[in-house]
Every structure is written in structure tokens, then in C-alpha cells.
Amino acid sequence: MQLGMIGLGRTGGNIVRRLLRTGHGCVVYDRNPERVRHLADEGASAAASLKDLIARMERPRYIWVMLPAGEITETTIRELSGLLEPGDVIIDGGNSFYKDDIRRARQLAAKGLKYIDVGTSGGIWGSQRGYCMMIGGDNEIVERLDPIFSVLATGCRNIPCTPGRERRDERVERGYLHAGPCGAGHFVKMVHNGIEYGLMQAYAEGFEILKHANSQELPAELRFELDLADIAEVWRRGSVIASWLLDLTAMALAADPQLEAFEGYVMDSGEGRWTVNAAIEEAVPAPVLSAALYARFASRAQRSFANKMLSAMRNGFGGHQEPKGS
């Protein structure tokens, strides 16, 4: 199957590589010509512009936009909508706001174009591990794109099937879900990222407590000199709090026990705010997710080991860098 990819950063480029390895054809474009050249060397068809990308593709065209949420995605989709033909499909695989998806789908439908939103989790490891995908859009289009989703997904990865899932959608067990109509994919991914904030904050606060177990404020008999790297490692092995985030934490502490490479300035990319807003709209109490978001705001004024750990985890799964000069 042929896919066009616009945006060849960490995730977009690795999606293309995974597709090329599994026999799919990719036409690629990015404002950075070096990224295009590197993927052309790996077998992709290089486009010099959006118009050129469209000209190189067979109909119906399937074009995946993998850009930061906001104006650049909005502008790109608007430009594409003026160049594509009825029946072509635009896929937004970034972290767009789900209400924007609903609006775009309606606007594109008026031009005879189809729209799919894909919440994509996997970060910089997706090329090897695969991606967990949460998809929104028309069932017929999602089924047409199954050859793409099936090779991008993580697969079963030797995870035992959950008891009671007999006769349910098998795609879910392979790492991708058709969540519902347009907007549903990014809504599920939005809440996923809100939960991620809460999990990361819990780990960070716990390790902060462990680090300060030797505080001079404590009586001498209550002080402990603890090896945080070893604690993270042992918790990975059979503990009830084991997770991929803990794996990344263990890796970070093994490489840099004091996390001296990090300032502890923790960014938020929007989904945490949108999750809290959704909770407010639904009148659902979400104290943990809200507090985790506010903790990120606080990190920009106060630096702590916990905030360094949050930065280390963000760097581990997504390659996210702290702002220079933070």
C-alpha cells in the first residue's frame, strides 16, 4: 500500500522506516530537505513540495500528517484540501485537539475528502517496538487502512490475552483500536496522555522521597542512604508498579544517578490541559491528573529531583528536550 507522509521528525520518520521495512511504499515531504534525503536513501520517494507529493501518489491518496498540534497542522491540512481530489484521505497522526478533528472532518467532507484521526503512542522507540494507535473515523476508511495500521502496531508481543475478551475486536490485542467516529481517536489519546502525567508524577514524587531519606532533618537512626538506580531496577522485576515508564526511569538513573543532565524544567504539550478541561466539562473529578498538570507548571519556578526525573522520563520515551536556558 502507498502512504504519503508529511512531517519527518522523530515519529513521522520512524513510521516511514517501519512501513518501508514491511514492503509499503512511502512518498515523503518535510520542510527540512535533509530529512527527506535521508529517507529517500532508505527507499522512500522524495517530494519537493505538497503539490509534488500529491502528483507522485496513486489514487485514492492516503496522506498522513505528522506535525505538532496547532497552526502548522491546521495550515497544512487546509493547503492539502485545496490540492486533493474527492475520495482522497487525510490522516492526522499528531496530537491534535479532538474538537478540531470534528470540525475538520465536517469541512473536508464538504469537498468529498475523508479524514481520520490517529492518536499515536510509542515515541522514539516506535520504529522497533511499534505503535499503540487510537483511531477515529469512518469504519470503511479505517478498514481500508488496515494494512498500514497492522504493521505499525506493536503486535501481541507475547502479552497474554485478557480473560473474557473472546469474540471481541482482535485488532485491540495487536495494539490498535478503532475508537469511534472522527475525534474519538484523539480524545482517547488525550486522556491517555493525561494519565501519563499522573503516572509520571507519582514516580517522580516517590523517588524524591527515597532520595531525601538521608535528610539531616531526620534523626540519625531514621536516615537511609538508598541506591535509587537499584531500587528502580528491582521494582521493574515483578513489582505491581512495573511499567515502561519505570523501565525508562531505571535507564535514566543507571546512566546518571543524580540526573545532572536535567534542570527539572518540565514542559506540557497540551493534552494534559485538554484532559482536565474535558473533566470539567463532564463534571468528573480528576484531582490526580489536575495536580500532575499543576506540578509541571510549578517546575518552571522550582527545580527538584522529582522534576529532573519527569524531564528524564519525557526524554526517554519521546526525546523531549528541556528548553535551552531554562
Side-chain angles (χ1 to χ4, degrees):
M1 190 170 181
Q2 186 188 56
L3 184 78
M5 178 63 75
I6 300 168
L8 305 176
R10 292 184 296 262
T11 303
N14 282 336
I15 285 175
V16 170
R17 292 183 178 94
R18 192 168 175 91
L19 290 173
L20 291 173
R21 288 201 304 269
T22 51
H24 293 280
C26 294
V27 184
V28 299
Y29 171 70
D30 191 283
R31 290 180 179 178
N32 183 338
E34 280 296 296
R35 292 176 176 175
V36 176
R37 184 179 62 78
H38 286 315
L39 283 166
D41 289 345
E42 296 178 42
S45 174
S49 65
L50 294 184
K51 191 172 183 179
D52 185 33
L53 180 140
I54 290 168
R56 291 170 178 268
M57 295 192 67
E58 307 158 1
R59 294 192 60 197
R61 303 174 183 90
Y62 301 94
I63 299 180
W64 188 305
V65 179
M66 201 69 193
L67 297 169
E71 187 56 34
I72 187 170
T73 293
E74 196 72 38
T75 300
T76 301
I77 291 175
R78 188 183 309 120
E79 186 173 348
L80 281 173
S81 71
L83 298 171
L84 294 171
E85 300 173 86
D88 290 343
V89 179
I90 296 175
I91 305 155
D92 180 1
N95 280 325
S96 287
F97 187 37
Y98 74 98
K99 293 181 181 179
D100 290 336
D101 293 316
I102 295 168
R103 170 181 52 78
R104 288 178 194 146
R106 183 174 61 250
Q107 292 171 340
L108 293 170
K111 298 184 176 184
L113 302 175
K114 303 293 186 181
Y115 182 83
I116 299 290
D117 58 284
V118 182
T120 310
S121 181
I124 58 177
W125 301 83
S127 178
Q128 288 77 39
R129 292 169 56 105
Y131 299 91
C132 172
M133 292 170 289
M134 297 137 270
I135 305 161
D138 292 345
N139 188 60
E140 187 264 329
I141 304 299
V142 173
E143 288 186 355
R144 256 197 266 163
L145 284 163
D146 193 74
I148 297 292
F149 295 138
S150 63
V151 298
L152 291 179
T154 57
C156 296
R157 296 184 59 205
N158 299 318
I159 299 173
C161 293
T162 301
R165 281 204 54 85
E166 296 79 8
R167 295 185 296 279
R168 297 181 69 89
D169 188 347
E170 294 180 356
R171 295 174 297 182
V172 174
E173 295 164 10
R174 301 200 302 272
Y176 59 113
L177 164 72
H178 183 197
C182 288
H186 277 149
F187 183 83
V188 174
K189 177 58 161 53
M190 175 190 77
V191 177
H192 162 284
N193 284 24
I195 293 170
E196 176 187 292
Y197 281 32
L199 291 171
M200 292 171 67
Q201 189 64 33
Y203 283 127
E205 291 177 10
F207 277 95
E208 180 93 39
I209 296 168
L210 294 169
K211 180 175 175 59
H212 289 281
N214 64 352
S215 171
Q216 297 301 306
E217 300 297 317
L218 295 169
E221 67 270 18
L222 299 182
R223 297 175 198 162
F224 301 107
E225 291 288 345
L226 301 173
D227 188 317
L228 302 193
D230 282 355
I231 291 170
E233 188 64 29
V234 76
W235 282 354
R236 294 180 60 219
R237 303 175 184 280
S239 162
V240 72
I241 62 168
S243 72
W244 187 36
L245 288 172
L246 185 60
D247 295 346
L248 297 172
T249 299
M251 291 167 59
L253 289 170
D256 181 5
Q258 300 303 317
L259 301 182
E260 292 176 350
F262 300 95
E263 292 290 333
Y265 187 107
V266 188
M267 296 296 293
D268 70 288
S269 52
E271 299 90 340
R273 302 185 191 209
W274 299 338
T275 301
V276 172
N277 286 337
I280 292 169
E281 291 174 355
E282 298 172 12
V284 172
V288 172
L289 306 191
S290 300
L293 175 63
Y294 294 143
R296 294 196 175 197
F297 298 159
S299 77
R300 297 160 203 177
Q302 59 187 39
R303 312 300 165 83
S304 66
F305 189 78
N307 291 330
K308 289 183 178 184
M309 182 158 289
L310 290 173
S311 287
M313 280 188 272
R314 293 186 81 242
N315 180 262
F317 65 72
H320 301 293
Q321 304 292 321
E322 295 177 324
K324 292 183 178 179
S326 62

